[in-house]
Amino acid sequence: MAALLACISLSVITVFIEYVPAAERLENTYYYPLWYSFLIILLIHLAIVVFLTIPLSILTDAISISLAQRFIGGIHPVVSVVAGYVLLAGLSGMLFSVFVYRGDTFLYMGAIRHMSIITVIFACWQFALWAGARWLKNITHTKTQSKTG
């Protein structure tokens, strides 16, 4: 869910970064409408999410759960999950930039900016969904306790 929400958020941000206002447009140059640019960018990001982020997310979940079960007293499960997803977001951004910029990832400032944005947005959505799930769990747990006595 976090990957899909990050995909939509990143598409909106990218469309507005690339948008050229009508007053600044060059003559005899065609500019795609805003909705068309959003749709194309969303499809590209969805392909990345489906083929890259979701499989890596499943791997990160498995590793985080394994570490949390193995080191119950050593490391806090939240720390391992957050660290895993920040690394996942950074890796996804780097792999995306490698494919987009054909191996010259760190030569372009746009690639570094894109990796940073992907990492922050994905980590924020992951944390927001985790916090929302914990909040819902606490509310339902509180309601069941109050009903039972």
Side-chain angles (χ1 to χ4, degrees):
M1 187 66 175
L4 294 175
L5 290 172
C7 173
I8 294 168
S9 301
L10 190 61
S11 298
V12 169
I13 291 169
T14 306
V15 163
F16 284 112
I17 287 174
E18 300 294 326
Y19 179 71
V20 178
E24 297 177 10
R25 294 182 180 182
L26 300 173
E27 291 182 29
N28 300 325
T29 304
Y30 180 74
Y31 292 91
Y32 292 110
L34 195 62
W35 66 269
Y36 182 80
S37 298
F38 174 74
L39 184 65
I40 295 300
I41 291 171
L42 182 65
L43 289 174
I44 291 169
H45 287 155
L46 280 175
I48 292 165
V49 163
V50 167
F51 294 112
L52 180 69
T53 307
I54 290 178
L56 289 175
S57 177
I58 293 169
L59 178 67
T60 302
D61 284 340
I63 292 171
S64 296
I65 291 170
S66 171
L67 286 174
Q69 288 175 351
R70 184 174 295 159
F71 303 109
I72 291 176
I75 57 173
H76 200 276
V78 175
V79 173
S80 70
V81 170
V82 169
Y85 276 104
V86 167
L87 290 173
L88 169 67
L91 178 67
S92 296
M94 191 167 59
L95 287 174
F96 172 72
S97 296
V98 164
F99 289 116
V100 169
Y101 295 107
R102 298 182 184 98
D104 296 331
T105 304
F106 297 105
L107 296 179
Y108 300 105
M109 190 61 190
I112 295 169
R113 181 182 65 209
H114 203 86
M115 287 188 306
S116 301
I117 290 171
I118 288 174
T119 302
V120 169
I121 289 174
F122 185 73
C124 287
W125 277 116
Q126 188 65 33
F127 179 73
L129 290 173
W130 174 80
R134 297 282 294 194
W135 180 72
L136 286 174
K137 182 180 174 184
N138 287 340
I139 286 178
T140 56
H141 183 67
T142 305
K143 285 183 181 180
T144 55
Q145 280 185 343
S146 65
K147 286 182 182 177
T148 58

